[in-house]
Amino acid sequence: MSSSLDTTKFAEMIKSKRGKTGLRALANDIGISASTLSRIEQGNLPDIDTYLKLCQWLEVSSEYFNTNAVDTNPQTGVIAHLRADKTLPPNTAEALIQMINLAYASTKK
């Protein structure tokens, strides 16, 4: 069984988390070029190194965007869904994500 990258989901999640942060500023923070980030936000496939950097920035596993992958970690799944939700304001999504991360962190102590 082969899988492919859900570029639409990937691009939407990046745009959602980026919010009002400038393309160049974010690309610089992640360590990629602004033109690459722009192409990815338009639905183009990234190279593997860029993909891994963006997954780390998004705080999801590299398998999350595979069309036939199943993410068994509920924390990353919830976070990914919050970031991808177009109806939720980005600052609200990030506040909820912080709460979720704190809740999971408290269970690991």
Side-chain angles (χ1 to χ4, degrees):
M1 176 184 334
S2 69
S3 64
S4 61
L5 185 68
D6 186 341
T7 55
T8 302
K9 182 178 177 182
F10 187 53
E12 290 301 320
M13 195 165 163
I14 292 168
K15 287 185 236 179
S16 176
K17 182 172 181 184
R18 181 166 72 85
K20 294 181 181 180
T21 302
L23 200 69
R24 290 185 193 281
L26 177 61
N28 189 45
D29 288 348
I30 295 172
I32 62 176
S33 73
S35 60
T36 296
L37 183 56
S38 176
R39 284 193 301 273
I40 293 167
E41 284 190 352
Q42 293 170 22
N44 291 303
L45 282 172
D47 63 67
I48 191 67
D49 290 334
T50 301
Y51 178 69
L52 294 174
K53 286 178 184 180
L54 285 165
C55 285
Q56 183 177 12
W57 176 73
L58 290 168
E59 301 174 48
V60 297
S61 73
S62 59
E63 293 86 26
Y64 183 79
F65 299 101
N66 290 349
T67 55
N68 63 352
V70 176
D71 189 348
T72 58
N73 182 335
Q75 181 180 2
T76 58
V78 169
I79 289 170
H81 285 291
L82 285 170
R83 288 204 173 115
D85 188 340
K86 293 180 188 179
T87 62
L88 197 59
N91 59 338
T92 302
E94 289 305 316
L96 289 168
I97 289 165
Q98 286 180 5
M99 289 182 357
I100 290 165
N101 285 333
L102 286 170
Y104 274 96
S106 71
T107 65
K108 295 176 183 174
K109 292 182 180 181

